[in-house]
Amino acid sequence: MKKVSVIGSGTMGRGIAYTCATAGFITVVQDISESSLETCQIYIDKQLNRSVEKGLMSNEEADTARERIQYTTSIEEAVRETDLVIEAVLELMDLKIEIFKQLDRFAPPHAILATNTSTMSPTEIAAQTSRPERCIALHFFNPVPKMKLIEVICGLETSEETIQESFAFGKALGKECVRINEYPGFAVSRMNCLIGNEAMNMVMEGVGSVEDIDKSMKLGLNHPMGPLELADLVGLDTRLRNMEYLHKTLGEKYRPCPILVKYVKAGWLGKKSGRGFYNYN
């Protein structure tokens, strides 16, 4: 595996692209938005410069990683001669299906088609292609360069060869992989969404302040980040989409907290908008 294509240049896409390029893979980033691609390039340049400043890589290594990355608005161009495609767009099933139909049309027959979804069915997505055995979910975590885990989620028809190649890819990135059989929410999101949603209910009920609830989880259960702080980092709109999908597929205990719905309606989306459970302005 030499070439990786990343579809979507948002928070997850640019983190995946940076990680792939610094691990030695030729990396192509695709997005329909030129401005998003420019933001992605600025982010990657900044991360490379920081790595040099911290002594994690030399100037030459940073320049080489930078040269490995290409940017394009064309899916056809992005996946030409690729070995692995990682889709990292919004958590909307119709959007993912439409993209996978294009990937199936333009990517080489040997290429693995992966979705970075945190909750949705790789089986349903793969069924829209002519190669369901080469489709899989590779769930990265934010921030991608720092987080060590990749959930490898196997669809109904995912081949053992595809699974093993995905594990080898994760190892090449310096990540740890866990094999998860498909079920809504997989392992991490299924547990994490419940914790975050209950923390939001506790805020709404006046059990404690946002800061104290987060501090309780960090100091009492040794979590590196509180559930409300994490929800702000992920994006409250993204969290709401995840909760709505899990509520639909797994039932009442995943009903989104009303305060989450209200914040998203107000445009309080977390860190990216400047305000969520915390104020970042």
Side-chain angles (χ1 to χ4, degrees), residues 17-35:
Y18 171 84
T19 304
C20 290
T22 54
F25 293 95
I26 298 169
T27 306
V28 185
V29 187
Q30 185 274 340
D31 200 296
I32 59 173
S33 168
E34 289 277 7
S35 63

Side-chain angles (χ1 to χ4, degrees), residues 184-246:
F186 316 139
V188 176
S189 293
R190 184 172 175 178
M191 292 185 284
N192 185 49
C193 282
L194 270 183
I195 294 170
N197 208 51
E198 188 59 23
M200 294 173 197
N201 282 321
M202 290 166 68
V203 171
M204 186 177 66
E205 294 161 4
V207 173
S209 68
V210 169
E211 292 81 2
D212 283 346
I213 289 170
D214 272 352
K215 185 185 290 186
S216 297
M217 294 298 288
K218 288 190 283 187
L219 301 184
L221 294 180
N222 206 28
H223 287 201
M225 183 180 292
L228 301 166
E229 184 183 4
L230 178 58
D232 272 359
L233 178 64
V234 168
L236 300 187
D237 52 339
T238 300
R239 178 58 62 85
L240 179 58
R241 283 191 293 268
N242 289 342
M243 291 302 303
E244 289 172 338
Y245 180 79
L246 292 174

Side-chain angles (χ1 to χ4, degrees), residues 97-116:
I97 285 174
E98 178 56 36
I99 287 173
F100 264 71
K101 287 179 179 178
Q102 295 181 60
L103 299 179
D104 190 39
R105 188 182 315 134
F106 297 128
H110 76 275
I112 294 174
L113 307 183
T115 174
N116 180 54

Side-chain angles (χ1 to χ4, degrees), residues 29-280:
V29 187
Q30 185 274 340
D31 200 296
I32 59 173
S33 168
E34 289 277 7
S35 63
S36 292
L37 288 174
E38 290 173 7
T39 301
C40 176
Q41 188 167 0
I42 291 168
Y43 164 85
I44 290 175
D45 283 341
K46 186 179 294 185
Q47 292 300 311
L48 290 171
N49 291 337
R50 284 179 178 171
S51 293
V52 171
E53 290 169 5
K54 292 179 179 179
L56 301 175
M57 64 175 67
S58 66
N59 279 307
E60 292 75 15
E61 289 170 329
D63 289 341
T64 300
R66 197 175 281 111
E67 290 167 3
R68 291 191 189 106
I69 307 175
Q70 304 163 36
Y71 303 88
T72 180
T73 56
S74 166
I75 283 187
E76 183 175 3
E77 181 182 334
V79 303
R80 188 182 300 134
E81 299 179 351
T82 196
D83 299 305
L84 169 65
V85 185
I86 303 173
E87 165 270 307
V89 303
L90 294 175
E91 289 285 81
L92 299 170
M93 180 59 81
D94 290 345
L95 175 60
K96 291 179 183 294
I97 285 174
E98 178 56 36
I99 287 173
F100 264 71
K101 287 179 179 178
Q102 295 181 60
L103 299 179
D104 190 39
R105 188 182 315 134
F106 297 128
H110 76 275
I112 294 174
L113 307 183
T115 174
N116 180 54
T117 183
S118 58
T119 55
M120 295 184 174
S121 168
T123 297
E124 183 177 352
I125 296 169
Q128 315 305 315
T129 76
S130 63
R131 61 179 100 181
E133 73 286 351
R134 297 295 283 169
C135 295
I136 200 164
L138 298 179
H139 181 205
F140 290 79
F141 294 84
N142 187 31
V144 179
K146 293 182 179 179
M147 299 297 282
K148 290 294 185 183
L149 180 67
I150 301 175
E151 276 186 303
V152 178
I153 299 100
C154 316
L156 182 63
E157 297 181 74
T158 306
S159 70
E160 188 63 31
E161 180 183 12
T162 299
I163 295 166
Q164 294 307 315
E165 288 179 41
S166 298
F167 266 72
F169 169 67
K171 184 176 181 180
L173 296 183
K175 307 294 188 187
E176 293 282 344
C177 294
V178 292
R179 179 171 178 165
I180 303 295
N181 293 318
E182 181 189 328
Y183 206 80
F186 316 139
V188 176
S189 293
R190 184 172 175 178
M191 292 185 284
N192 185 49
C193 282
L194 270 183
I195 294 170
N197 208 51
E198 188 59 23
M200 294 173 197
N201 282 321
M202 290 166 68
V203 171
M204 186 177 66
E205 294 161 4
V207 173
S209 68
V210 169
E211 292 81 2
D212 283 346
I213 289 170
D214 272 352
K215 185 185 290 186
S216 297
M217 294 298 288
K218 288 190 283 187
L219 301 184
L221 294 180
N222 206 28
H223 287 201
M225 183 180 292
L228 301 166
E229 184 183 4
L230 178 58
D232 272 359
L233 178 64
V234 168
L236 300 187
D237 52 339
T238 300
R239 178 58 62 85
L240 179 58
R241 283 191 293 268
N242 289 342
M243 291 302 303
E244 289 172 338
Y245 180 79
L246 292 174
H247 181 226
K248 177 182 176 182
T249 54
L250 293 179
E252 189 62 24
K253 67 182 177 181
Y254 286 93
R255 178 181 293 277
C257 175
I259 201 172
L260 173 62
V261 177
K262 182 162 61 176
Y263 280 14
V264 172
K265 286 181 178 178
W268 293 12
L269 306 182
K271 197 168 185 179
K272 63 185 175 184
S273 71
R275 185 159 188 181
F277 285 97
Y278 292 87
N279 192 332
Y280 299 91

